[in-house]
Amino acid sequence: ATWPEYTQLAKALAALGVVDVITSDDGRKWRMPPGEYDYVGSLNAVQVREMCQGAAATTGKRHAVFVTNALERAWIGLDLV
């Protein structure tokens, strides 16, 4: 994907509450790698997949969506927002 395509996808996802920034326990915000997104809410994984598939379809490009349910996360090397 090109950068403008990622930008278009990020905007479509953000409108649905799916973002590329995560918040640590201390309140700091971190930018996820390109193509990685986060959703916090009441939808289940299948509902989130369908929501994200709809957003990805707006790019007009071939796409794949993989959704997981995370109970705990750890990271290193992400940029502080």
Side-chain angles (χ1 to χ4, degrees):
T2 65
W3 191 251
E5 291 164 349
Y6 273 122
T7 301
Q8 179 183 354
L9 176 60
K11 286 179 183 177
L13 290 169
L16 300 171
V18 181
V19 296
D20 64 351
V21 173
I22 55 176
T23 304
S24 57
D25 291 341
D26 63 7
R28 293 185 294 170
K29 297 188 180 299
W30 303 87
R31 176 90 46 211
M32 296 178 71
E36 296 285 332
Y37 300 92
D38 186 53
Y39 167 79
V40 177
S42 61
L43 300 180
N44 65 40
V46 172
Q47 292 168 318
V48 173
R49 182 195 66 199
E50 295 303 310
M51 181 173 65
C52 292
Q53 191 280 328
T58 68
T59 67
K61 301 291 184 178
R62 182 184 173 281
H63 55 273
V65 177
F66 180 74
V67 176
T68 63
N69 186 350
L71 297 176
E72 181 179 24
R73 299 184 285 190
W75 60 86
I76 192 168
L78 299 183
D79 292 331
L80 191 60
V81 176

